[in-house]
Amino acid sequence: MKQFIQPKREKTVFSIGGRGHYENPISDVMAFYLDPSEEHNFGTLFISSFLTVLGKSLEIIEESPIEKIEREAVTLSGNRIDIVAASENWVLVIENKIYHSLLNPLDDYELYVKAKYPNKDHILVVLSLNGLSGIPGNWNNILYQELIEEIKKQAGPFMFTTSNAKWSFFLRDFILNLEELIGEQKVDKQLMDFAQKNYSRMLELLEIKEQYIDSLRRMFSSVLLETTGSAVLDKVHNWSKRTAIRFYCPDKWGEKTNLVLVVLPQGDFKIYYYVYGIEEQHHEAENKRLIMNDYNHWKENKGTILCYKSEKRFDMEGAKEEFTFAAQHLNHYFSS
């Protein structure tokens, strides 16, 4: 199972926007860098990388440079081709596939290119994260990994010059985003296989986890009942990888004030408590009475809730002792 625990991803401008896995934004950026006349000043880096991966001679760029880049070129049947890069003697057609299966009418794309660009060498490419099946023999299947590796090889002379520093950083983010997508797809396939084979055992583990949380809920409810002598209510919350069990003693502390057992991912515990109903002008004075040693204080809900959490972490026995002490502390505060 540990092989599927992934390190935290480095954020990119694509992941921040939440559109890093969409084909259209990726195609937009690809078309920008494919165009040698654009302000990125990377010249023919992307075109030459494509041609190198395809095994084509780079002399065709010198003999016939790109004159036009089309995005979503519309065929006579109303279909849209992702990218068309045309020169005087040749034309590069790119169908960009990130996650979806290849359901595109490639034959219609060919008819469009032959009609619009007759008497030119047609270079037809399907660009994908993983190799796709069912591609016609006259189409080339390029993997993003191959293209990225070639771009990196050829990018050295262009990177981080004074004339294109901004677009160098942007290109790095673009490549990083694609590499993350490639890695995710590989892990996803392995994860799917692992989960399918071990699904019943995973359910058993989840059931054991729920039983454990329920046992903690009942155990600490009993501790609180003995400490307060009044009815105890509880709620279970998931806080990312932590589980929080809130305990309420409405007869002693009011309806909302609660004491929280936080189950940490490492298996140990912290204690929190949230106090409601104190007017803002009394916060400073009441905080001095409420805060316990080795606890941090903060406010929530626009300062209407006074919140406290233990700096220390506790094992099971230590958590029960601290929980009892915190409950006694709240009992004393509200009784006085």
Side-chain angles (χ1 to χ4, degrees):
M1 188 182 67
K2 290 181 179 179
Q3 66 181 302
F4 302 110
I5 300 173
Q6 298 296 304
K8 187 175 180 180
R9 288 182 56 175
E10 180 180 344
K11 289 185 177 180
T12 69
V13 292
F14 299 92
S15 62
I16 291 171
R19 299 184 64 83
H21 61 285
Y22 283 77
E23 287 178 0
N24 276 339
I26 290 175
S27 294
D28 287 338
V29 177
M30 185 73 68
F32 170 76
Y33 279 109
L34 278 169
D35 190 346
S37 66
E38 274 287 5
E39 64 181 75
H40 50 68
N41 288 327
F42 278 95
T44 60
L45 171 63
F46 269 61
I47 284 290
S48 62
S49 296
F50 263 104
L51 296 178
T52 300
V53 173
L54 289 166
K56 301 283 186 180
S57 171
L58 299 185
E59 292 179 359
I60 66 172
I61 302 176
E62 298 176 4
E63 297 170 356
S64 180
I66 288 178
E67 299 174 344
K68 181 180 181 181
I69 297 282
E70 287 186 88
R71 268 286 287 126
E72 297 197 326
V74 181
T75 70
L76 294 175
S77 300
N79 297 306
R80 295 177 180 272
I81 307 174
D82 287 329
I83 302 174
V84 178
S87 76
E88 183 181 358
N89 299 327
W90 55 273
V91 57
L92 175 65
V93 178
I94 302 171
E95 175 58 30
N96 184 24
K97 304 305 297 181
I98 300 300
Y99 287 121
H100 304 294
S101 302
L102 186 63
L103 302 175
N104 306 75
L106 299 183
D107 54 347
D108 183 44
Y109 295 176
E110 283 189 66
L111 290 174
Y112 167 83
V113 173
K114 288 176 180 178
K116 185 167 183 177
Y117 301 102
N119 305 318
K120 292 187 180 184
D121 182 17
H122 302 142
I123 306 171
L124 309 175
V125 172
V126 174
L127 178 63
S128 63
L129 291 180
N130 294 309
L132 300 173
S133 59
I135 296 176
N138 54 337
W139 282 76
N140 300 274
N141 189 8
I142 291 183
L143 298 181
Y144 263 107
Q145 187 64 52
E146 298 173 306
L147 180 62
I148 288 171
E149 288 175 1
E150 190 58 39
I151 290 171
K152 286 181 175 180
K153 287 179 186 177
Q154 298 192 28
F158 300 99
M159 295 299 283
F160 303 109
T161 66
T162 55
S163 61
N164 68 351
K166 176 175 75 172
W167 297 115
S168 295
F169 282 109
F170 193 70
L171 176 58
R172 178 189 175 278
D173 261 16
F174 181 58
I175 291 175
L176 180 60
N177 179 66
L178 291 171
E179 288 177 331
E180 292 285 1
L181 295 178
I182 293 167
E184 284 177 1
Q185 283 231 335
K186 290 179 180 177
V187 171
D188 284 349
K189 177 63 169 64
Q190 296 169 348
L191 178 61
M192 292 281 283
D193 292 341
F194 174 84
Q196 185 178 11
K197 292 175 183 176
N198 297 282
Y199 193 65
S200 63
R201 297 172 69 185
M202 292 164 62
L203 291 177
E204 289 171 2
L205 278 173
L206 288 172
E207 186 175 348
I208 290 171
K209 181 237 181 183
E210 294 304 318
Q211 290 174 354
Y212 173 61
I213 296 299
D214 190 57
S215 296
L216 289 174
R217 184 183 61 78
R218 288 185 278 107
M219 178 189 297
F220 282 82
S221 287
S222 296
V223 170
L224 201 52
L225 178 61
E226 293 176 7
T227 307
T228 63
S230 65
V232 178
L233 304 176
D234 62 73
K235 291 181 181 178
V236 177
H237 304 270
N238 289 316
W239 292 354
S240 185
K241 294 183 179 181
R242 301 171 296 166
T243 299
I245 311 175
R246 292 185 186 272
F247 298 90
Y248 302 81
C249 290
D251 295 338
K252 287 278 188 177
W253 308 337
E255 291 186 3
K256 294 184 177 181
T257 293
N258 59 90
L259 182 58
V260 186
L261 176 72
V262 181
V263 186
L264 302 172
Q266 294 78 9
D268 49 0
F269 306 91
K270 278 198 168 189
I271 309 298
Y272 290 31
Y273 53 99
Y274 297 80
V275 180
Y276 289 70
I278 299 175
E279 295 180 359
E280 187 174 1
Q281 63 266 31
H282 301 305
H283 280 185
E284 185 175 350
E286 296 306 306
N287 179 57
K288 293 178 181 178
R289 298 178 58 208
L290 277 166
I291 193 166
M292 298 195 300
N293 291 334
D294 297 322
Y295 275 71
N296 291 322
H297 162 244
W298 78 100
K299 298 178 184 180
E300 288 185 1
N301 197 26
K302 297 182 180 180
T304 61
I305 309 169
L306 299 183
C307 314
Y308 305 87
K309 68 176 177 180
S310 58
E311 294 179 4
K312 297 180 180 178
R313 304 159 75 108
F314 306 95
D315 60 13
M316 182 72 74
E317 290 306 311
K320 287 195 285 187
E321 290 179 9
E322 184 69 15
F323 200 78
T324 300
F325 183 68
Q328 291 172 341
H329 176 70
L330 289 174
N331 286 346
H332 177 74
Y333 174 82
F334 281 97
S335 64
S336 60

